[in-house]
């Protein structure tokens, strides 16, 4: 259980740091947007076909 708690703490810290950086930096915002757009392209296409 300690391992799961440690992993969750690290993931939480990383997401918090990314959130703070994205609030204050437009470069980070654009990088995160490009990253998620690139990796969710297939999901968006399937959703468009279903609609």
């Amino acid at each position: 259980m300690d391992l799961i708690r440690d992993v969750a703490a690290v993931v939480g810290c990383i997401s918090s740091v990314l959130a703070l950086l994205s609030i204050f930096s437009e470069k980070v915002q654009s990088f995160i947007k490009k990253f998620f757009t690139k990796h969710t392209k297939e999901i968006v296409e399937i959703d468009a076909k279903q609609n």
Side-chain angles (χ1 to χ4, degrees), residues 29-43:
Q29 287 176 355
S30 65
F31 172 75
I32 292 172
K33 185 176 180 179
K34 286 179 186 177
F35 178 79
F36 281 107
T37 302
K38 183 178 179 182
H39 292 291
T40 59
K41 187 176 183 179
E42 182 180 341
I43 297 171

Side-chain angles (χ1 to χ4, degrees), residues 2-38:
D2 289 336
L3 178 66
I4 295 172
R5 190 177 321 135
D6 292 341
V7 170
V10 170
V11 170
C13 289
I14 291 172
S15 65
S16 297
V17 169
L18 284 176
L20 286 173
L21 286 174
S22 67
I23 289 172
F24 296 114
S25 174
E26 289 187 23
K27 290 182 181 180
V28 175
Q29 287 176 355
S30 65
F31 172 75
I32 292 172
K33 185 176 180 179
K34 286 179 186 177
F35 178 79
F36 281 107
T37 302
K38 183 178 179 182

